[in-house]
């Protein structure tokens, strides 16, 4: 079946730098996308979402970009901090149902 | 609201034993999801309830797994008999309607020896 995938399993950045985490999706019917952050020993935590009628959405220090032409999603974290170290998952949903499909995850490591 | 509450946080059991995982969704949420997370397979959806009714259980691995939602505030995932390959972190999540994302619990780490 169709699935959501990630380009990089591990990303290491210097504290204070910007981070970019990428995600490719294959279901063209997907119309809602979410980024989750999962810290060690915890459940995934909602970070930011975007609907398919938008190509950019900003939150506090985070920005999600959606390119429907190439089915690509990215999460940008500005001024990365040690507390941003976690595994980040993208997830997609289509309007035919209520189920989220998760990608494999990218581990972000922030070096002090 | 205390969020999605799962119990126990950790469970160690012997192969062949019955295991019951519990979940209390956020009050007012009408959808509940059980996920399993492993290093090899990532986050896998096991079963999904809407208004206490199972909608999709195609992710349930086999007949050893069963899930119930007797009311809007409680759900269980049961494994009987358990096997070592069932070792994983099991997450429960809930949501309201179909327009948004899920809120996850802290998970139950299951180890079957």
């Amino acid at each position: 079946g169709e699935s959501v995938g990630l380009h990089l399993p591990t990303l290491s950045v210097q504290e204070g730098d910007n981070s970019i985490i990428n995600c490719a999706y294959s279901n063209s019917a997907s119309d809602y996308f979410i980024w989750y952050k999962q810290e060690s020993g915890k459940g995934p935590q909602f970070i930011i979402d975007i609907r398919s009628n938008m190509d950019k959405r900003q939150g506090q220090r985070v920005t999600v970009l959606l390119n429907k032409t190439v089915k690509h999603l990215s999460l940008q974290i500005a001024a990365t901090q040690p507390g941003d170290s976690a595994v980040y998952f993208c997830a997609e949903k289509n309007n035919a149902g209520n189920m989220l499909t998760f990608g494999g995850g990218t581990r972000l490591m922030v070096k002090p | 609201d205390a969020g999605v509450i799962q119990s126990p946080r950790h469970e160690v059991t012997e192969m062949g034993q019955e295991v019951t995982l519990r979940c209390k969704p956020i009050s007012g949420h009408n959808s509940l999801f059980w996920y399993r997370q492993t290093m090899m397979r990532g986050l896998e959806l096991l079963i999904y309830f809407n208004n206490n009714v199972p909608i999709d259980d195609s992710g349930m691995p086999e007949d050893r797994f069963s899930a119930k939602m007797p009311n809007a505030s409680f759900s269980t995932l049961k494994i009987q008999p358990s096997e070592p390959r069932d070792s994983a972190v099991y997450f429960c999540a809930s949501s309201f309607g179909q327009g948004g994302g899920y809120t996850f619990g802290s998970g139950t780490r299951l180890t079957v020896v």
Side-chain angles (χ1 to χ4, degrees), chain B residues 1 3-5 23-29 31-32 69 71-75 92-95:
Chain B
D1 197 313
V4 176
I5 300 173
C23 176
K24 182 181 187 308
I26 290 176
S27 178
H29 282 191
S31 294
L32 184 140
M69 192 164 186
N71 57 63
S73 59
F74 184 66
S75 176
C92 175
S94 69
S95 71

Side-chain angles (χ1 to χ4, degrees), chain B residues 17-76:
Chain B
Q17 296 298 306
E18 177 181 296
V19 175
T20 300
L21 312 181
R22 297 172 175 80
C23 176
K24 182 181 187 308
I26 290 176
S27 178
H29 282 191
N30 60 351
S31 294
L32 184 140
F33 308 83
W34 281 101
Y35 279 84
R36 178 171 66 177
Q37 186 176 42
T38 61
M39 289 296 293
M40 292 296 294
R41 302 173 69 92
L43 273 164
E44 301 175 277
L45 177 65
L46 300 178
I47 188 169
Y48 150 44
F49 292 87
N50 189 52
N51 294 324
N52 312 339
V53 176
I55 303 300
D56 188 332
D57 65 353
S58 59
M60 296 287 262
E62 46 197 276
D63 291 345
R64 297 185 297 106
F65 285 69
S66 62
K68 294 182 180 179
M69 192 164 186
N71 57 63
S73 59
F74 184 66
S75 176
T76 59

Side-chain angles (χ1 to χ4, degrees), chain A residues 32 34 36 38 41-46 49 51 89 93 95-104 107, chain B residues 9 31 33 35 37 42-43 45 48 50 56 91 95 97-107 109:
Chain A
Y32 179 61
I34 306 175
Y36 281 90
Q38 186 176 22
K42 297 182 179 179
Q45 179 184 14
F46 175 95
D49 61 357
R51 300 198 180 275
F89 294 93
K93 185 193 292 187
N95 59 12
N98 191 25
M99 294 185 292
L100 282 175
T101 300
F102 284 83
R107 181 174 300 279
Chain B
R9 286 299 311 274
S31 294
F33 308 83
Y35 279 84
Q37 186 176 42
L43 273 164
L45 177 65
Y48 150 44
N50 189 52
D56 188 332
F91 287 103
S95 71
Q98 295 192 350
Y102 308 164
T103 301
F104 281 81
S106 297
R109 180 174 294 277

Side-chain angles (χ1 to χ4, degrees), chain A residues 36-53:
Chain A
Y36 281 90
K37 172 186 180 183
Q38 186 176 22
E39 297 175 277
S40 180
K42 297 182 179 179
Q45 179 184 14
F46 175 95
I47 301 174
I48 191 168
D49 61 357
I50 188 168
R51 300 198 180 275
S52 58
N53 60 351

Side-chain angles (χ1 to χ4, degrees), chain B residues 84-99:
Chain B
R85 61 192 169 119
D86 302 329
S87 297
V89 181
Y90 291 81
F91 287 103
C92 175
S94 69
S95 71
F96 176 74
Q98 295 192 350

